[in-house]
Amino acid sequence: MTEQPLIETAALEAALQQFADERNWQRFHTPRNLMLALTGEVGELAEIFQWLTDEEVAQLADDPARFTHLQEEVADVLLYLVRLASVMKLDIDAAVRDKLVKNACKYPAPGTETQRI
């Protein structure tokens, strides 16, 4: 029996591939370049939180412009991460499943046994 995916990225991977193909960007989408771009986007995401208190972060959703900026940076990180995985032929769902199981073994909840996810 096949398990239902936790993360389904096929449609997004296809859209990103089409976007790159339409612009002839395939030559730029090397794993190294994508990782560097992802790192830059994570930095831009971190910059939103830099110097804010936890209370100020909790209030980001109350400021439409700042919240939109947050959404855009989160999206950029996700897009580059999915593109990197796609170029590397990495199955994100399988990787996430595997990592969840390893984390459950490494950090078991008190009084529970590790369960297959």
Side-chain angles (χ1 to χ4, degrees):
M1 182 167 109
T2 303
E3 297 177 79
Q4 187 168 0
L6 294 175
I7 298 176
E8 178 53 61
T9 61
L12 179 54
E13 288 180 47
L16 291 170
Q17 182 66 53
Q18 180 179 349
F19 187 88
D21 289 345
E22 289 172 348
R23 289 154 182 81
N24 195 27
W25 285 357
Q26 195 63 33
R27 66 185 184 272
F28 303 117
H29 285 197
T30 65
R32 178 187 163 280
N33 286 349
L34 291 167
M35 186 59 236
L36 290 172
L38 174 59
T39 300
E41 293 300 337
V42 169
E44 291 180 22
L45 178 60
E47 189 175 36
I48 294 170
F49 293 86
Q50 187 177 16
W51 314 123
L52 297 180
T53 65
D54 288 341
E55 183 178 291
E56 291 169 325
V57 168
Q59 294 171 354
L60 281 173
D62 298 334
D63 182 337
R66 293 176 78 192
F67 193 69
T68 296
H69 185 209
L70 174 63
Q71 288 177 308
E72 290 171 351
E73 296 307 333
V74 167
D76 284 341
V77 168
L78 178 64
L79 294 173
Y80 275 117
L81 184 61
V82 169
R83 183 71 177 138
L84 174 62
S86 179
V87 166
M88 294 298 300
K89 309 278 191 260
L90 186 148
D91 181 339
I92 291 178
D93 185 67
V96 166
R97 253 177 219 289
D98 181 60
K99 190 61 177 175
L100 285 172
V101 169
K102 287 178 181 175
N103 283 349
C105 292
K106 189 173 181 180
Y107 308 105
T112 63
E113 294 182 25
T114 303
Q115 297 179 2
R116 178 151 168 73
I117 298 176

PDB file of all heavy atoms in Angstrom, residues 1 3 97-98 100-101 104 113-117:
ATOM      1  N   MET A   1       0.830  -1.170   0.000  1.00  0.00           N
ATOM      2  CA  MET A   1       0.000   0.000   0.000  1.00  0.00           C
ATOM      3  C   MET A   1       0.887   1.250   0.000  1.00  0.00           C
ATOM      4  O   MET A   1       1.803   1.380   0.785  1.00  0.00           O
ATOM      5  CB  MET A   1      -0.900  -0.008   1.244  1.00  0.00           C
ATOM      6  CG  MET A   1      -1.840   1.156   1.290  1.00  0.00           C
ATOM      7  SD  MET A   1      -3.106   0.904   2.535  1.00  0.00           S
ATOM      8  CE  MET A   1      -2.596   2.096   3.720  1.00  0.00           C
ATOM      9  N   GLU A   3       1.795   5.035   0.725  1.00  0.00           N
ATOM     10  CA  GLU A   3       1.417   6.054   1.695  1.00  0.00           C
ATOM     11  C   GLU A   3       1.108   7.363   0.983  1.00  0.00           C
ATOM     12  O   GLU A   3       1.710   7.693  -0.030  1.00  0.00           O
ATOM     13  CB  GLU A   3       2.563   6.280   2.677  1.00  0.00           C
ATOM     14  CG  GLU A   3       2.892   5.072   3.512  1.00  0.00           C
ATOM     15  CD  GLU A   3       4.069   5.326   4.408  1.00  0.00           C
ATOM     16  OE1 GLU A   3       3.869   5.967   5.442  1.00  0.00           O
ATOM     17  OE2 GLU A   3       5.167   4.881   4.058  1.00  0.00           O
ATOM     18  N   ARG A  97      10.032  12.448   5.182  1.00  0.00           N
ATOM     19  CA  ARG A  97       9.569  11.271   5.925  1.00  0.00           C
ATOM     20  C   ARG A  97      10.716  10.636   6.706  1.00  0.00           C
ATOM     21  O   ARG A  97      10.591  10.321   7.898  1.00  0.00           O
ATOM     22  CB  ARG A  97       9.016  10.235   4.945  1.00  0.00           C
ATOM     23  CG  ARG A  97       7.565  10.110   4.954  1.00  0.00           C
ATOM     24  CD  ARG A  97       7.157   9.091   3.871  1.00  0.00           C
ATOM     25  NE  ARG A  97       5.971   9.598   3.269  1.00  0.00           N
ATOM     26  CZ  ARG A  97       4.799   9.627   3.904  1.00  0.00           C
ATOM     27  NH1 ARG A  97       4.691   9.155   5.114  1.00  0.00           N
ATOM     28  NH2 ARG A  97       3.752  10.127   3.319  1.00  0.00           N
ATOM     29  N   ASP A  98      11.832  10.442   6.015  1.00  0.00           N
ATOM     30  CA  ASP A  98      13.006   9.835   6.633  1.00  0.00           C
ATOM     31  C   ASP A  98      13.500  10.687   7.807  1.00  0.00           C
ATOM     32  O   ASP A  98      13.810  10.169   8.880  1.00  0.00           O
ATOM     33  CB  ASP A  98      14.110   9.653   5.590  1.00  0.00           C
ATOM     34  CG  ASP A  98      15.352   9.004   6.164  1.00  0.00           C
ATOM     35  OD1 ASP A  98      15.246   7.864   6.660  1.00  0.00           O
ATOM     36  OD2 ASP A  98      16.426   9.642   6.122  1.00  0.00           O
ATOM     37  N   LEU A 100      11.819  12.888   9.615  1.00  0.00           N
ATOM     38  CA  LEU A 100      10.862  12.857  10.724  1.00  0.00           C
ATOM     39  C   LEU A 100      11.037  11.602  11.578  1.00  0.00           C
ATOM     40  O   LEU A 100      10.979  11.654  12.810  1.00  0.00           O
ATOM     41  CB  LEU A 100       9.433  12.960  10.207  1.00  0.00           C
ATOM     42  CG  LEU A 100       8.986  14.339   9.727  1.00  0.00           C
ATOM     43  CD1 LEU A 100       7.620  14.255   9.059  1.00  0.00           C
ATOM     44  CD2 LEU A 100       8.974  15.342  10.863  1.00  0.00           C
ATOM     45  N   VAL A 101      11.260  10.463  10.923  1.00  0.00           N
ATOM     46  CA  VAL A 101      11.471   9.216  11.651  1.00  0.00           C
ATOM     47  C   VAL A 101      12.767   9.303  12.463  1.00  0.00           C
ATOM     48  O   VAL A 101      12.799   8.930  13.643  1.00  0.00           O
ATOM     49  CB  VAL A 101      11.495   8.007  10.686  1.00  0.00           C
ATOM     50  CG1 VAL A 101      11.970   6.749  11.388  1.00  0.00           C
ATOM     51  CG2 VAL A 101      10.117   7.790  10.077  1.00  0.00           C
ATOM     52  N   ALA A 104      12.248  11.548  15.415  1.00  0.00           N
ATOM     53  CA  ALA A 104      11.435  10.898  16.442  1.00  0.00           C
ATOM     54  C   ALA A 104      12.263   9.909  17.256  1.00  0.00           C
ATOM     55  O   ALA A 104      12.077   9.788  18.470  1.00  0.00           O
ATOM     56  CB  ALA A 104      10.235  10.201  15.803  1.00  0.00           C
ATOM     57  N   GLU A 113       6.421   5.695  22.004  1.00  0.00           N
ATOM     58  CA  GLU A 113       7.317   4.913  21.166  1.00  0.00           C
ATOM     59  C   GLU A 113       7.373   5.572  19.800  1.00  0.00           C
ATOM     60  O   GLU A 113       6.434   6.223  19.386  1.00  0.00           O
ATOM     61  CB  GLU A 113       6.801   3.490  21.027  1.00  0.00           C
ATOM     62  CG  GLU A 113       6.816   2.711  22.332  1.00  0.00           C
ATOM     63  CD  GLU A 113       6.350   1.298  22.127  1.00  0.00           C
ATOM     64  OE1 GLU A 113       6.459   0.758  21.017  1.00  0.00           O
ATOM     65  OE2 GLU A 113       5.855   0.718  23.109  1.00  0.00           O
ATOM     66  N   THR A 114       8.466   5.369  19.089  1.00  0.00           N
ATOM     67  CA  THR A 114       8.610   5.923  17.754  1.00  0.00           C
ATOM     68  C   THR A 114       7.586   5.282  16.835  1.00  0.00           C
ATOM     69  O   THR A 114       7.420   4.073  16.810  1.00  0.00           O
ATOM     70  CB  THR A 114      10.028   5.654  17.205  1.00  0.00           C
ATOM     71  OG1 THR A 114      10.960   6.207  18.120  1.00  0.00           O
ATOM     72  CG2 THR A 114      10.213   6.261  15.843  1.00  0.00           C
ATOM     73  N   GLN A 115       6.879   6.118  16.081  1.00  0.00           N
ATOM     74  CA  GLN A 115       5.870   5.639  15.132  1.00  0.00           C
ATOM     75  C   GLN A 115       6.324   5.928  13.724  1.00  0.00           C
ATOM     76  O   GLN A 115       7.003   6.910  13.465  1.00  0.00           O
ATOM     77  CB  GLN A 115       4.530   6.328  15.373  1.00  0.00           C
ATOM     78  CG  GLN A 115       3.937   6.030  16.722  1.00  0.00           C
ATOM     79  CD  GLN A 115       2.623   6.763  16.909  1.00  0.00           C
ATOM     80  OE1 GLN A 115       2.136   7.449  16.036  1.00  0.00           O
ATOM     81  NE2 GLN A 115       2.034   6.603  18.081  1.00  0.00           N
ATOM     82  N   ARG A 116       5.937   5.077  12.812  1.00  0.00           N
ATOM     83  CA  ARG A 116       6.234   5.308  11.400  1.00  0.00           C
ATOM     84  C   ARG A 116       5.328   6.408  10.893  1.00  0.00           C
ATOM     85  O   ARG A 116       4.124   6.411  11.145  1.00  0.00           O
ATOM     86  CB  ARG A 116       5.997   4.042  10.592  1.00  0.00           C
ATOM     87  CG  ARG A 116       6.247   4.213   9.121  1.00  0.00           C
ATOM     88  CD  ARG A 116       6.703   2.921   8.480  1.00  0.00           C
ATOM     89  NE  ARG A 116       6.682   2.968   7.059  1.00  0.00           N
ATOM     90  CZ  ARG A 116       7.551   3.652   6.311  1.00  0.00           C
ATOM     91  NH1 ARG A 116       8.476   4.360   6.885  1.00  0.00           N
ATOM     92  NH2 ARG A 116       7.476   3.612   4.995  1.00  0.00           N
ATOM     93  N   ILE A 117       5.911   7.354  10.189  1.00  0.00           N
ATOM     94  CA  ILE A 117       5.144   8.480   9.637  1.00  0.00           C
ATOM     95  C   ILE A 117       4.881   8.257   8.177  1.00  0.00           C
ATOM     96  O   ILE A 117       5.676   7.778   7.466  1.00  0.00           O
ATOM     97  CB  ILE A 117       5.911   9.802   9.860  1.00  0.00           C
ATOM     98  CG1 ILE A 117       6.059  10.035  11.350  1.00  0.00           C
ATOM     99  CG2 ILE A 117       5.196  10.948   9.205  1.00  0.00           C
ATOM    100  CD1 ILE A 117       6.865  11.234  11.725  1.00  0.00           C
TER     101      ILE A 117
END
